[in-house]
Amino acid sequence: MKLNPKEIGTLGELKKAGYQTRSIKDELRNNLIEKIKVGEETFPGVWGYENSVLPELERALLSRHNINLLGLRGQAKTRLARLMVNLLDEWIPIVEGSEINDDPLNPMSRYAIELIREKEDHTPISWLHRNERFAEKLATPDVTVADLIGDVDPIKAANLKLSYADDRVIHFGMIPRANRCIFVINELPDLQARIQVSLFNILEEGDIQIRGFKLRLPLDIQFVFTANPEDYTNRGSIVTPLKDRIGSQILTHYPADIQTARKITEQESNLDTRQAESIYVPDIAKDLLEQISFEARKSEYVDAKSGVSARTSITAFENLLSSAERRSLMTGSDTTTVRLSDFMGVVPAITGKIELVYEGEQEGAGSVAEILVDDAVKSMFPEYFPKIDKLEKKDAETPYDDVLQWFFQGQGFELLDDFTNEEYKRTLDSIPALNRLVEKYQPDFPKKDVYFLKELVLWGLVSHKKLSKHRFTEGYQFKDLYGSFISGL
């Protein structure tokens, strides 16, 4: 039932309007049913979960379950919880001044009960918007029962001159104050076991216990917990009786394909308007950026149990555009295009996001990040050009012979970081064999993206050990592989 909060300010007016109370779980269930019936998107902006996580989440809400979202970092667990707010009624009435959002038709707290007894239908009510019905707590080892449930407040007792036996001295914790709201506890295993035990009654019987008071507050809360898999965190685990009281446990996952990962990155990237307007990013560059995270998730240097967050691609994308923007500012260009050599600017965004195993620590975080970029190039290369086999017959012809011969006969060439757009294009165009190769195998490739593709050929030949690539202060030098050995580079 839709009510106009501006027209209803007292309990009597609320009754006259025919308002009927329903639990938060019924709100979520009924509003979800309506959205599904009309084909409306239930969790907008969440990609890659359409056939896995979202159906399970919808089933859990239809079943009125409390939910545990279990998955590695950067898998949109908290985002899913926050989006549940959209399934709540737009407004709900509460007794004005109530600490625990008392329902005017079903008051629980002593304050609300006494106020309604005194003023009856003239009891003032206020309205709570659904955006205010979300509470969140990050579980840390220092969280106490008093923080979550409540405790006796000696200052309140002294000010009101009440004995500790009077329930008016109670200070309610976060959970009672989230009555009729969605309450999220992030990283549940980090919560000490004895604190997890304090949640048993709330989840099963719906009431709370504070000190020695005989309180019966049937709280109306939709609980959502998030957690990393227990085999990853050494800080604790979810105690078995608590897991038993959580209705549905839903496993989240990383994007299964590049296109889905791209949608997430483009949606979440925090770009300046000027960056978006002045920097062109080829589609192939966006794919390569996402491929780095895919490579990291299967890399022997990266701890798979820790996971590689979607934030890795997001911050890397922001750094990629900033690298191109910085070059544009230094060369005085109004516009520019992302280059493959700009990808070295994403290394700082990667090194802070990945957990390394022992072998990775030996290599060093920066070196591992560069290896991941090279691995991404190597993986994408066969999508655009003929595959380079590890073992080739002696003197067998390959599509890359002319390019390799050009480097063998010359001194190689350099791509400097601060090349202007014209210098960059002119340098890549200076290799006739490279131009012919691209025209032969990618004749219809967008002209605006061709130069990135030419760089991909060079980096691909390096990753397959056909050319050498040397990083120096001002940029990159590409040379014939054997010539590099002879010169000591």
Side-chain angles (χ1 to χ4, degrees), residues 264-276 311 313-322 325:
I264 296 170
T265 299
E266 290 172 7
Q267 175 180 277
E268 300 300 320
S269 298
N270 183 23
L271 303 180
D272 187 280
T273 308
R274 288 166 293 185
Q275 287 180 322
R311 287 182 282 271
S313 295
I314 294 166
T315 54
F317 185 66
E318 292 166 351
N319 261 19
L320 183 64
L321 266 70
S322 295
E325 181 183 32

PDB file of all heavy atoms in Angstrom, residues 264-276 311 313-322 325:
ATOM      1  N   ILE A 264      32.040  -4.289 -16.023  1.00  0.00           N
ATOM      2  CA  ILE A 264      32.244  -3.937 -14.618  1.00  0.00           C
ATOM      3  C   ILE A 264      33.269  -2.812 -14.498  1.00  0.00           C
ATOM      4  O   ILE A 264      33.053  -1.822 -13.794  1.00  0.00           O
ATOM      5  CB  ILE A 264      32.711  -5.175 -13.821  1.00  0.00           C
ATOM      6  CG1 ILE A 264      31.617  -6.247 -13.820  1.00  0.00           C
ATOM      7  CG2 ILE A 264      33.082  -4.793 -12.392  1.00  0.00           C
ATOM      8  CD1 ILE A 264      32.069  -7.589 -13.281  1.00  0.00           C
ATOM      9  N   THR A 265      34.381  -2.939 -15.203  1.00  0.00           N
ATOM     10  CA  THR A 265      35.447  -1.932 -15.124  1.00  0.00           C
ATOM     11  C   THR A 265      34.965  -0.578 -15.612  1.00  0.00           C
ATOM     12  O   THR A 265      35.207   0.461 -14.972  1.00  0.00           O
ATOM     13  CB  THR A 265      36.673  -2.384 -15.948  1.00  0.00           C
ATOM     14  OG1 THR A 265      37.157  -3.621 -15.410  1.00  0.00           O
ATOM     15  CG2 THR A 265      37.777  -1.355 -15.905  1.00  0.00           C
ATOM     16  N   GLU A 266      34.290  -0.552 -16.756  1.00  0.00           N
ATOM     17  CA  GLU A 266      33.820   0.714 -17.321  1.00  0.00           C
ATOM     18  C   GLU A 266      32.776   1.365 -16.414  1.00  0.00           C
ATOM     19  O   GLU A 266      32.710   2.588 -16.305  1.00  0.00           O
ATOM     20  CB  GLU A 266      33.256   0.478 -18.722  1.00  0.00           C
ATOM     21  CG  GLU A 266      34.357   0.137 -19.743  1.00  0.00           C
ATOM     22  CD  GLU A 266      33.786  -0.293 -21.093  1.00  0.00           C
ATOM     23  OE1 GLU A 266      32.560  -0.193 -21.281  1.00  0.00           O
ATOM     24  OE2 GLU A 266      34.569  -0.743 -21.948  1.00  0.00           O
ATOM     25  N   GLN A 267      31.967   0.540 -15.754  1.00  0.00           N
ATOM     26  CA  GLN A 267      30.934   1.073 -14.869  1.00  0.00           C
ATOM     27  C   GLN A 267      31.536   1.659 -13.585  1.00  0.00           C
ATOM     28  O   GLN A 267      31.080   2.695 -13.095  1.00  0.00           O
ATOM     29  CB  GLN A 267      29.957  -0.049 -14.503  1.00  0.00           C
ATOM     30  CG  GLN A 267      28.902   0.348 -13.478  1.00  0.00           C
ATOM     31  CD  GLN A 267      27.969  -0.801 -13.169  1.00  0.00           C
ATOM     32  OE1 GLN A 267      27.018  -1.054 -13.891  1.00  0.00           O
ATOM     33  NE2 GLN A 267      28.229  -1.518 -12.098  1.00  0.00           N
ATOM     34  N   GLU A 268      32.559   0.997 -13.055  1.00  0.00           N
ATOM     35  CA  GLU A 268      33.077   1.369 -11.747  1.00  0.00           C
ATOM     36  C   GLU A 268      34.245   2.354 -11.791  1.00  0.00           C
ATOM     37  O   GLU A 268      34.607   2.915 -10.768  1.00  0.00           O
ATOM     38  CB  GLU A 268      33.525   0.108 -10.993  1.00  0.00           C
ATOM     39  CG  GLU A 268      32.412  -0.903 -10.755  1.00  0.00           C
ATOM     40  CD  GLU A 268      31.274  -0.331  -9.932  1.00  0.00           C
ATOM     41  OE1 GLU A 268      31.553   0.409  -8.968  1.00  0.00           O
ATOM     42  OE2 GLU A 268      30.106  -0.608 -10.264  1.00  0.00           O
ATOM     43  N   SER A 269      34.859   2.540 -12.949  1.00  0.00           N
ATOM     44  CA  SER A 269      36.035   3.418 -13.026  1.00  0.00           C
ATOM     45  C   SER A 269      35.662   4.861 -12.707  1.00  0.00           C
ATOM     46  O   SER A 269      34.653   5.383 -13.184  1.00  0.00           O
ATOM     47  CB  SER A 269      36.656   3.345 -14.426  1.00  0.00           C
ATOM     48  OG  SER A 269      37.107   2.045 -14.694  1.00  0.00           O
ATOM     49  N   ASN A 270      36.491   5.475 -11.897  1.00  0.00           N
ATOM     50  CA  ASN A 270      36.256   6.864 -11.490  1.00  0.00           C
ATOM     51  C   ASN A 270      37.098   7.782 -12.378  1.00  0.00           C
ATOM     52  O   ASN A 270      38.227   8.136 -12.048  1.00  0.00           O
ATOM     53  CB  ASN A 270      36.639   7.035 -10.014  1.00  0.00           C
ATOM     54  CG  ASN A 270      36.359   8.430  -9.507  1.00  0.00           C
ATOM     55  OD1 ASN A 270      35.529   9.159 -10.065  1.00  0.00           O
ATOM     56  ND2 ASN A 270      37.049   8.827  -8.462  1.00  0.00           N
ATOM     57  N   LEU A 271      36.525   8.147 -13.522  1.00  0.00           N
ATOM     58  CA  LEU A 271      37.265   8.934 -14.508  1.00  0.00           C
ATOM     59  C   LEU A 271      36.876  10.400 -14.454  1.00  0.00           C
ATOM     60  O   LEU A 271      35.712  10.737 -14.212  1.00  0.00           O
ATOM     61  CB  LEU A 271      37.013   8.389 -15.917  1.00  0.00           C
ATOM     62  CG  LEU A 271      37.347   6.913 -16.168  1.00  0.00           C
ATOM     63  CD1 LEU A 271      37.042   6.561 -17.618  1.00  0.00           C
ATOM     64  CD2 LEU A 271      38.804   6.629 -15.844  1.00  0.00           C
ATOM     65  N   ASP A 272      37.850  11.248 -14.702  1.00  0.00           N
ATOM     66  CA  ASP A 272      37.583  12.674 -14.868  1.00  0.00           C
ATOM     67  C   ASP A 272      36.944  12.880 -16.244  1.00  0.00           C
ATOM     68  O   ASP A 272      37.290  12.187 -17.210  1.00  0.00           O
ATOM     69  CB  ASP A 272      38.896  13.452 -14.774  1.00  0.00           C
ATOM     70  CG  ASP A 272      38.672  14.951 -14.774  1.00  0.00           C
ATOM     71  OD1 ASP A 272      38.476  15.511 -15.877  1.00  0.00           O
ATOM     72  OD2 ASP A 272      38.703  15.554 -13.699  1.00  0.00           O
ATOM     73  N   THR A 273      36.020  13.812 -16.335  1.00  0.00           N
ATOM     74  CA  THR A 273      35.329  14.070 -17.602  1.00  0.00           C
ATOM     75  C   THR A 273      36.321  14.374 -18.722  1.00  0.00           C
ATOM     76  O   THR A 273      36.157  13.923 -19.859  1.00  0.00           O
ATOM     77  CB  THR A 273      34.353  15.258 -17.455  1.00  0.00           C
ATOM     78  OG1 THR A 273      33.519  15.026 -16.333  1.00  0.00           O
ATOM     79  CG2 THR A 273      33.497  15.415 -18.695  1.00  0.00           C
ATOM     80  N   ARG A 274      37.383  15.110 -18.390  1.00  0.00           N
ATOM     81  CA  ARG A 274      38.367  15.476 -19.405  1.00  0.00           C
ATOM     82  C   ARG A 274      39.109  14.243 -19.938  1.00  0.00           C
ATOM     83  O   ARG A 274      39.476  14.193 -21.106  1.00  0.00           O
ATOM     84  CB  ARG A 274      39.361  16.481 -18.822  1.00  0.00           C
ATOM     85  CG  ARG A 274      38.761  17.874 -18.602  1.00  0.00           C
ATOM     86  CD  ARG A 274      39.638  18.721 -17.721  1.00  0.00           C
ATOM     87  NE  ARG A 274      39.698  18.203 -16.370  1.00  0.00           N
ATOM     88  CZ  ARG A 274      40.336  18.813 -15.360  1.00  0.00           C
ATOM     89  NH1 ARG A 274      40.956  19.953 -15.586  1.00  0.00           N
ATOM     90  NH2 ARG A 274      40.340  18.290 -14.157  1.00  0.00           N
ATOM     91  N   GLN A 275      39.329  13.266 -19.056  1.00  0.00           N
ATOM     92  CA  GLN A 275      39.969  12.033 -19.512  1.00  0.00           C
ATOM     93  C   GLN A 275      39.083  11.309 -20.518  1.00  0.00           C
ATOM     94  O   GLN A 275      39.541  10.835 -21.555  1.00  0.00           O
ATOM     95  CB  GLN A 275      40.261  11.110 -18.323  1.00  0.00           C
ATOM     96  CG  GLN A 275      41.407  11.570 -17.446  1.00  0.00           C
ATOM     97  CD  GLN A 275      41.641  10.625 -16.287  1.00  0.00           C
ATOM     98  OE1 GLN A 275      40.709  10.091 -15.709  1.00  0.00           O
ATOM     99  NE2 GLN A 275      42.903  10.412 -15.942  1.00  0.00           N
ATOM    100  N   ALA A 276      37.813  11.200 -20.172  1.00  0.00           N
ATOM    101  CA  ALA A 276      36.871  10.480 -21.037  1.00  0.00           C
ATOM    102  C   ALA A 276      36.757  11.165 -22.402  1.00  0.00           C
ATOM    103  O   ALA A 276      36.555  10.499 -23.426  1.00  0.00           O
ATOM    104  CB  ALA A 276      35.504  10.400 -20.364  1.00  0.00           C
ATOM    105  N   ARG A 311      38.680  -4.910  -8.460  1.00  0.00           N
ATOM    106  CA  ARG A 311      39.268  -3.578  -8.288  1.00  0.00           C
ATOM    107  C   ARG A 311      40.637  -3.476  -8.951  1.00  0.00           C
ATOM    108  O   ARG A 311      41.113  -2.376  -9.225  1.00  0.00           O
ATOM    109  CB  ARG A 311      39.356  -3.236  -6.792  1.00  0.00           C
ATOM    110  CG  ARG A 311      38.017  -2.927  -6.149  1.00  0.00           C
ATOM    111  CD  ARG A 311      38.169  -2.554  -4.680  1.00  0.00           C
ATOM    112  NE  ARG A 311      38.358  -3.721  -3.841  1.00  0.00           N
ATOM    113  CZ  ARG A 311      37.378  -4.423  -3.284  1.00  0.00           C
ATOM    114  NH1 ARG A 311      36.126  -4.064  -3.487  1.00  0.00           N
ATOM    115  NH2 ARG A 311      37.633  -5.465  -2.523  1.00  0.00           N
ATOM    116  N   SER A 313      41.404  -4.480 -12.025  1.00  0.00           N
ATOM    117  CA  SER A 313      41.165  -3.951 -13.374  1.00  0.00           C
ATOM    118  C   SER A 313      40.678  -2.509 -13.321  1.00  0.00           C
ATOM    119  O   SER A 313      41.026  -1.699 -14.183  1.00  0.00           O
ATOM    120  CB  SER A 313      40.138  -4.826 -14.096  1.00  0.00           C
ATOM    121  OG  SER A 313      40.649  -6.123 -14.307  1.00  0.00           O
ATOM    122  N   ILE A 314      39.874  -2.197 -12.319  1.00  0.00           N
ATOM    123  CA  ILE A 314      39.302  -0.847 -12.222  1.00  0.00           C
ATOM    124  C   ILE A 314      40.408   0.183 -12.002  1.00  0.00           C
ATOM    125  O   ILE A 314      40.506   1.181 -12.726  1.00  0.00           O
ATOM    126  CB  ILE A 314      38.254  -0.796 -11.087  1.00  0.00           C
ATOM    127  CG1 ILE A 314      37.056  -1.689 -11.428  1.00  0.00           C
ATOM    128  CG2 ILE A 314      37.803   0.645 -10.843  1.00  0.00           C
ATOM    129  CD1 ILE A 314      36.152  -1.973 -10.244  1.00  0.00           C
ATOM    130  N   THR A 315      41.261  -0.062 -11.011  1.00  0.00           N
ATOM    131  CA  THR A 315      42.335   0.906 -10.744  1.00  0.00           C
ATOM    132  C   THR A 315      43.380   0.896 -11.859  1.00  0.00           C
ATOM    133  O   THR A 315      43.982   1.934 -12.161  1.00  0.00           O
ATOM    134  CB  THR A 315      43.007   0.603  -9.389  1.00  0.00           C
ATOM    135  OG1 THR A 315      43.434  -0.770  -9.370  1.00  0.00           O
ATOM    136  CG2 THR A 315      42.050   0.838  -8.244  1.00  0.00           C
ATOM    137  N   ALA A 316      43.599  -0.269 -12.471  1.00  0.00           N
ATOM    138  CA  ALA A 316      44.545  -0.343 -13.588  1.00  0.00           C
ATOM    139  C   ALA A 316      44.030   0.479 -14.771  1.00  0.00           C
ATOM    140  O   ALA A 316      44.815   1.162 -15.450  1.00  0.00           O
ATOM    141  CB  ALA A 316      44.767  -1.796 -14.008  1.00  0.00           C
ATOM    142  N   PHE A 317      42.732   0.437 -15.018  1.00  0.00           N
ATOM    143  CA  PHE A 317      42.144   1.216 -16.109  1.00  0.00           C
ATOM    144  C   PHE A 317      42.310   2.714 -15.848  1.00  0.00           C
ATOM    145  O   PHE A 317      42.632   3.492 -16.749  1.00  0.00           O
ATOM    146  CB  PHE A 317      40.668   0.849 -16.261  1.00  0.00           C
ATOM    147  CG  PHE A 317      39.994   1.506 -17.439  1.00  0.00           C
ATOM    148  CD1 PHE A 317      40.367   1.196 -18.738  1.00  0.00           C
ATOM    149  CD2 PHE A 317      38.977   2.431 -17.249  1.00  0.00           C
ATOM    150  CE1 PHE A 317      39.752   1.800 -19.820  1.00  0.00           C
ATOM    151  CE2 PHE A 317      38.349   3.043 -18.332  1.00  0.00           C
ATOM    152  CZ  PHE A 317      38.740   2.722 -19.618  1.00  0.00           C
ATOM    153  N   GLU A 318      42.095   3.104 -14.599  1.00  0.00           N
ATOM    154  CA  GLU A 318      42.265   4.516 -14.241  1.00  0.00           C
ATOM    155  C   GLU A 318      43.725   4.949 -14.436  1.00  0.00           C
ATOM    156  O   GLU A 318      43.999   6.037 -14.953  1.00  0.00           O
ATOM    157  CB  GLU A 318      41.828   4.730 -12.784  1.00  0.00           C
ATOM    158  CG  GLU A 318      40.332   4.553 -12.575  1.00  0.00           C
ATOM    159  CD  GLU A 318      39.927   4.427 -11.115  1.00  0.00           C
ATOM    160  OE1 GLU A 318      40.821   4.309 -10.256  1.00  0.00           O
ATOM    161  OE2 GLU A 318      38.712   4.422 -10.829  1.00  0.00           O
ATOM    162  N   ASN A 319      44.663   4.078 -14.037  1.00  0.00           N
ATOM    163  CA  ASN A 319      46.083   4.390 -14.238  1.00  0.00           C
ATOM    164  C   ASN A 319      46.461   4.431 -15.714  1.00  0.00           C
ATOM    165  O   ASN A 319      47.296   5.236 -16.133  1.00  0.00           O
ATOM    166  CB  ASN A 319      46.950   3.336 -13.531  1.00  0.00           C
ATOM    167  CG  ASN A 319      47.435   3.818 -12.180  1.00  0.00           C
ATOM    168  OD1 ASN A 319      46.880   4.744 -11.611  1.00  0.00           O
ATOM    169  ND2 ASN A 319      48.467   3.177 -11.655  1.00  0.00           N
ATOM    170  N   LEU A 320      45.840   3.547 -16.499  1.00  0.00           N
ATOM    171  CA  LEU A 320      46.124   3.500 -17.933  1.00  0.00           C
ATOM    172  C   LEU A 320      45.755   4.828 -18.589  1.00  0.00           C
ATOM    173  O   LEU A 320      46.537   5.391 -19.369  1.00  0.00           O
ATOM    174  CB  LEU A 320      45.343   2.354 -18.574  1.00  0.00           C
ATOM    175  CG  LEU A 320      45.568   2.118 -20.068  1.00  0.00           C
ATOM    176  CD1 LEU A 320      47.011   1.715 -20.328  1.00  0.00           C
ATOM    177  CD2 LEU A 320      44.614   1.041 -20.586  1.00  0.00           C
ATOM    178  N   LEU A 321      44.581   5.338 -18.263  1.00  0.00           N
ATOM    179  CA  LEU A 321      44.156   6.616 -18.834  1.00  0.00           C
ATOM    180  C   LEU A 321      45.007   7.776 -18.315  1.00  0.00           C
ATOM    181  O   LEU A 321      45.306   8.723 -19.056  1.00  0.00           O
ATOM    182  CB  LEU A 321      42.674   6.878 -18.547  1.00  0.00           C
ATOM    183  CG  LEU A 321      41.730   6.430 -19.666  1.00  0.00           C
ATOM    184  CD1 LEU A 321      41.683   4.914 -19.755  1.00  0.00           C
ATOM    185  CD2 LEU A 321      40.324   6.984 -19.462  1.00  0.00           C
ATOM    186  N   SER A 322      45.415   7.669 -17.055  1.00  0.00           N
ATOM    187  CA  SER A 322      46.262   8.731 -16.500  1.00  0.00           C
ATOM    188  C   SER A 322      47.642   8.740 -17.162  1.00  0.00           C
ATOM    189  O   SER A 322      48.240   9.803 -17.344  1.00  0.00           O
ATOM    190  CB  SER A 322      46.405   8.550 -14.988  1.00  0.00           C
ATOM    191  OG  SER A 322      45.151   8.725 -14.353  1.00  0.00           O
ATOM    192  N   GLU A 325      47.080  10.425 -20.383  1.00  0.00           N
ATOM    193  CA  GLU A 325      46.800  11.845 -20.144  1.00  0.00           C
ATOM    194  C   GLU A 325      48.096  12.598 -19.815  1.00  0.00           C
ATOM    195  O   GLU A 325      48.318  13.711 -20.310  1.00  0.00           O
ATOM    196  CB  GLU A 325      45.812  11.981 -18.990  1.00  0.00           C
ATOM    197  CG  GLU A 325      45.435  13.428 -18.681  1.00  0.00           C
ATOM    198  CD  GLU A 325      44.518  13.536 -17.484  1.00  0.00           C
ATOM    199  OE1 GLU A 325      44.633  12.714 -16.562  1.00  0.00           O
ATOM    200  OE2 GLU A 325      43.674  14.448 -17.460  1.00  0.00           O
TER     201      GLU A 325
END
